Each structure stands twice: as structure tokens, then as C-alpha cells.
Amino acid sequence: MAELTSAVLAGSETFRGNHAAQTARVETLRARIAAATAGGRPDMVERHRSRGKLLVRERIDLLVDPGTAFMELSSLAAYGQYGGDVPGAGIVTGIGIVHGLPCMVIANDATVKGGSFYHETVKKHIRAQEIAAENRLPCLYLVDCGGAYLPEQDRVFPDARHFGNSFYRQTNMSASGLPQISAVFGGCTAGGAYIPALSDEVIMVRDNARIHLGGPSIVKVAINEEVDGETLGGAEMHTRVSGVSDHLAEDEYHALALMRDIVGNLGLKRTMAPDAPAAAPLHDPEELLGVISADRKKPYDVRELLLRMIDAGGFREFKPSWGETLVCGTARIHGYRVGILGNNGALLSDSSLKGAQFVSMCDQRNIPLLFLHNISGFMVGIEAERGGIAKNSAKLVYAMSVAKVPRLSVIVGGSYGAGNYGMCGRGFAPRFLFAWPTAELATMSADIASNVMLELRRAKGGDPAKVQADLERIEAEVRAQYAKQSDPYYATSRLWDDGLIEPGQTRDILGLCLAIVTSVPDSGRHTPVFRM
């Protein structure tokens, strides 16, 4: 296997300028994640603690094995929306190791609107379940949920991928043999009650945990019955009377210990070790900040990214002298074999055909795929169309779409138009999709979009003064729209990715993802757990 060599001079003025600009982006990302992961308002946090309750990430820290990584997903969901009142969309999701077994953790944050479900909360919850189902991960629900946020009911309740779909997924995962286990820490009302009620095994915390389809106020209105919350749906009642709960925990520490014990006795084993020893990259991953151009219009060689991600610089490049705008080859990341496709320019017919062949070969050889997006799109123009770009680009899209091996995507730069499709964008269901703070996601760049709209206006003609005024207005509006909507924080807020990550963290995150996707066990046939 050939070893890549770097042409980047770490002490150069260009490197230092890039590094400074990208460091500023990373610091912004860290600050925004810190604010989002702090939970709700300070008074809500204080009220939460006064009830003897742990914060959501404290619960997760006690649940997962000491010293292991917790890969949190979409920590900036709902960022910049709802006046900043719903950090993280009020829910924490991610993959953690419990008794050596990777599990999907889905945990409500009751300091954020009482753990109620907004539109993005539902999307985040369902996306976590989708990842769990694809990768055969048990689901551990840390429930502290007020149900649907009623003013959002039209964006939470009725549609195919709204709140009800999470229960459909939960039951079908159970039926497929994936354990669904809930620990209830607070109130669970209406739809929130179904999360534990549909679980295979349920733990409730004495005094604080409650489960009821309708809370005391709804009961009063509906049937004119006076009742307090503890009598209606408290932990002791549900454990001793209704049977909704299987275990009564004295406090949250006890509940988390019980959940760990349940997972430890599932009898599920999963070997996630790679088939080769891991080796450090030839260059420090932190150097990525100096490699990525500060000016988006200045290109850089994707191989320089690989040198700071893959093991020991070992890269078996496929067709290195043909279709050069798409770099393809196999390598290892933390010992796991992976086929990599990275952009070095627009996709032409030759690079599209090269990519289609490489994807098909990896699929045949059972090698997972990694797509590194930095793509303006497929080539346009007379020569490109006569060369069959429509047909040849479709071949790449087709090969990528039907590949059965796990596919991972990282948007490192621009990801525009059909280029996003060919490189396995969100619409093509990659197992995981992350983005850097340098990412831009849009149908096309602001420059091209504004020029298209300007040409359309010019073609209509009219009074020259009016035309000029319209052109200036259109250009300002289009550029403002694209600047806002192609921003990586706009995208991650709406869960168009699984989270913004630092470039220097990418290798380790990909290693965790590869460990998960390459160790998926055969699902076989299973019998569902019926709680009736």
C-alpha cells in the first residue's frame, strides 16, 4: 500500500492564516455547544436539583462504563430557534457503552420546557431510533418527559415522522430483538407515558417518577375527578398496583444501577475490535485547521485531510491518474478498513464513472464507505452534456444508493446540488453524517444562485431604472437567503446532519462509527415482548 506524503508546510504564512481562521470557527463551535449542553435556564436547573434530581448528562455519565466515550448526536438541534429557549431540542441522544455493549441512549432534559417535545425534539428522537435499528443497538430511555409541546401540535403530532412514529419504531425494534429499557425520573404525561409503557422493562424512581396518560388537570376536566399526581401515576402505585413499572428505585443512582444491571444480564455480546492494529496518522489531526483554506474559493488537496485521519498514511489509491477530481482509495482508520471518496473539484464524467466503479468494488468486498464532501456539483456546459454527464453522474448516484455496505459521510466544505447526492447526502441514508463548521449545504452557491435569478430578471426587460433597482434588490435578497440557509448552524439546528464536529475530532469519531457499523450482528428471528 502506498504511503501518502504531505506538501503542506506547517510553518508557512498560508498555513498560519488558515489555522487562525479555522481556530476561530472551532472556538465558536465549542462555545455554542457549551451553551446548548448547559441545559435550561438557571432557575429551571435549580428547581430540578431541588427535587433531588440529577441533570441529564450526569445521569448518562453514571450509566455508561467509566472511561468510555459517549458519542453525543445533534447537540445543537434547534439552535437559533424558539428564541434560544430549547437548547439541544430538550433531549440528549448518543451512543454509549454499558457493560461492554454499545447502546443508544435517549434522554429527556426536563430543565428545557419540562422535557416537552418540539418538532426538532421528535426528529432527534426518531433519528436516534433509526440509527439504533440500523446498527442493532439496544435503546435505553432516560425518561423525564412532558409529552408534546401543545403549541407545536401540528408539527409534532399528526404526520408520518411525528411523535407517533417513535412508538412505531420502539415496538418494532423490540419485536426484532432489540431491547427497549426505560428508567423514569420525572413526570411522563400523554405521549411521554408511552415511552416507558412500550418498553420491555421499566424502572421508576420513588416520589419523583410519574406515568399517566392524562395528568390531574386533564382528569379534572375530562371526568371531574380530583386526584393528585402521586396517587394517579406514582412510582409505588405503578410498581405495586398497575404493573406498569417492573422495578422501584429508591433514587436516581439506584435507578441507573438497575438499568446497568439489566443491560449486563441481556446476554448480548458484540465484538467491536478491528481486524488490524490501529496506527497513528502520519500528521497530527490538529494540523487540519491549517490545511483547510480560510477562503472557500481556494482549493486544497483532499489527500492532505487523509494524511491527518487515516492510519500511518497508508492509502491504496484507485485510478490515481484518471478522473482526478474524485480521489478514491482504501485505508484504515483506528484499524478499521474503509473505502474513501473525497472531492478535489467538480465531478466530471470520468470521475463519476471512477466513483461508481470504486463504490461497486467496495460493496462487493464488504468494505464500508466514507464520503468526504467538498463539492460544487457535477460539471455543466456543452462539453459535459455531450460527454454524457447526466448519464454518468446518475451511475455514481445509482451505485452509491444501492450499495449494501455501511456508508458514512462528513461534509468538510461545500456540498452543493446533485454533488451532495452523488456523495451520499442526507437523502441517501448514510449510517452517520457529520459536518465541520466549514460546511455549506445548498442547492448551489450564493454566487451562482444570485446570477441565475439576475439573468431571469434581465430577460423580462422593462424600464432600465426599474430593472436596475430590481437587480440590486434580488441580488441582496438571494445572497442574504443563501448566507443564512447554507450556514452549518442552520443545517445542524434542523438535524440535516448528526452533529457539527471539530476537524481534529473526526478521526476518533469515525473510528467509533466504524466500530459500530462493522460489528452489527445478524438480527435473526425474535419474539416481541408483550406487556399486556
Side-chain angles (χ1 to χ4, degrees), residues 494-514:
R494 288 154 181 80
L495 288 103
W496 298 347
D497 54 51
D498 294 318
L500 289 185
I501 61 174
E502 296 180 24
Q505 296 176 328
T506 307
R507 168 181 162 81
D508 290 342
I509 289 171
L510 290 174
L512 286 168
C513 292
L514 288 167

Side-chain angles (χ1 to χ4, degrees), residues 379-440:
M379 182 55 69
V380 296
I382 295 172
E383 184 178 352
E385 297 295 354
R386 291 183 176 181
I389 188 63
K391 175 181 65 177
N392 295 324
S393 64
K395 290 179 180 178
L396 174 57
V397 172
Y398 192 106
M400 177 274 301
S401 299
V402 302
K404 297 298 185 289
V405 292
R407 293 165 296 141
L408 313 175
S409 279
V410 182
I411 303 177
V412 303
S415 186
Y416 298 111
N420 171 269
Y421 299 164
M423 292 296 290
C424 194
R426 190 63 141 180
F428 294 84
R431 293 284 185 95
F432 294 94
L433 187 153
F434 297 101
W436 287 358
T438 52
E440 272 195 5

Side-chain angles (χ1 to χ4, degrees), residues 437-451:
T438 52
E440 272 195 5
L441 184 63
T443 53
M444 58 190 71
S445 70
D447 288 341
I448 295 175
S450 60
N451 282 328

Side-chain angles (χ1 to χ4, degrees), residues 3-65:
E3 187 177 285
L4 294 176
T5 57
S6 178
V8 170
L9 299 176
S12 68
E13 184 177 343
T14 299
F15 183 94
R16 291 197 303 271
N18 290 341
H19 197 282
Q22 304 305 349
T23 296
R25 283 195 169 104
V26 167
E27 288 174 350
T28 297
L29 174 62
R30 290 176 180 174
R32 291 178 177 179
I33 289 177
T37 56
R41 300 192 315 264
D43 61 311
M44 296 302 296
V45 172
E46 181 57 35
R47 187 174 78 168
H48 187 83
R49 288 198 181 280
S50 72
R51 294 171 174 171
K53 298 169 74 171
L54 298 168
L55 298 180
V56 63
R57 289 176 180 80
E58 293 172 343
R59 293 169 181 163
I60 293 170
D61 285 344
L62 290 166
L63 176 63
V64 301
D65 293 349

Side-chain angles (χ1 to χ4, degrees), residues 80-338:
Q81 301 186 68
Y82 311 107
D85 286 342
V86 193
I91 193 169
V92 178
T93 64
I95 299 171
I97 308 298
V98 181
H99 281 294
L101 184 68
C103 299
M104 177 60 72
V105 179
I106 301 175
N108 304 112
D109 186 350
T111 70
V112 179
K113 300 295 184 179
S116 297
F117 275 65
Y118 284 67
H119 178 68
E120 288 74 21
T121 317
V122 173
K123 288 187 72 173
K124 188 170 175 177
H125 187 106
I126 288 176
R127 175 58 181 154
Q129 291 178 307
E130 187 174 61
I131 290 171
E134 283 185 321
N135 296 289
R136 304 299 299 165
L137 304 172
C139 286
L140 309 181
Y141 301 91
L142 307 187
V143 192
D144 204 343
C145 173
Y149 182 63
L150 295 182
E152 280 268 296
Q153 71 90 22
D154 65 322
R155 302 205 313 144
V156 170
F157 171 69
D159 208 353
R161 286 177 67 89
H162 283 177
F163 205 179
N165 186 246
S166 69
F167 308 136
Y168 173 82
R169 291 172 182 274
Q170 187 174 341
T171 53
N172 276 276
M173 280 192 283
S174 174
S176 77
L178 286 179
Q180 308 290 298
I181 303 163
S182 284
V184 183
F185 299 95
C188 299
T189 303
Y194 279 109
I195 299 172
L198 290 170
S199 293
D200 306 332
E201 205 160 351
V202 179
I203 305 157
M204 292 184 73
V205 177
R206 188 190 295 277
D207 296 329
N208 276 339
R210 294 176 186 171
I211 296 175
H212 31 57
L213 295 185
S217 60
I218 293 177
V219 170
K220 172 65 174 173
V221 172
I223 61 173
N224 198 32
E225 189 174 81
E226 297 276 0
V227 65
D228 64 87
E230 185 64 23
T231 302
L232 182 64
E236 191 149 354
M237 187 282 288
H238 276 312
T239 308
R240 299 184 187 278
V241 180
S242 74
V244 168
S245 172
D246 305 303
H247 307 277
L248 180 62
E250 295 303 319
D251 57 25
E252 296 200 3
Y253 297 94
H254 186 203
L256 293 164
L258 285 170
M259 180 172 268
R260 282 185 53 82
D261 187 59
I262 291 168
V263 174
N265 284 279
L266 289 174
L268 300 176
K269 303 294 181 184
R270 187 154 176 171
T271 302
M272 296 195 295
D275 61 0
L282 286 183
H283 294 265
D284 186 346
E286 290 302 321
E287 288 185 4
L288 287 167
L289 299 182
V291 171
I292 310 161
S293 298
D295 182 352
R296 186 179 301 280
K297 295 179 180 179
K298 290 185 178 178
Y300 55 84
D301 190 344
V302 71
R303 296 176 186 85
E304 296 289 354
L305 304 187
L306 299 182
L307 273 166
R308 292 150 181 90
M309 290 185 194
I310 65 175
D311 291 4
F315 186 62
R316 185 174 184 270
E317 190 164 352
F318 177 69
K319 289 185 181 292
S321 301
W322 191 74
E324 295 179 55
T325 61
L326 184 65
V327 174
C328 304
T330 53
R332 289 186 182 271
I333 295 177
H334 280 287
Y336 299 96
R337 191 167 57 152
V338 62

Side-chain angles (χ1 to χ4, degrees), residues 465-485:
K466 177 68 164 56
V467 170
Q468 184 58 36
D470 285 349
L471 292 176
E472 291 173 3
R473 175 183 54 79
I474 289 169
E475 181 166 21
E477 289 176 352
V478 172
R479 289 190 177 277
Q481 177 192 3
Y482 273 74
K484 175 184 177 182
Q485 295 179 354

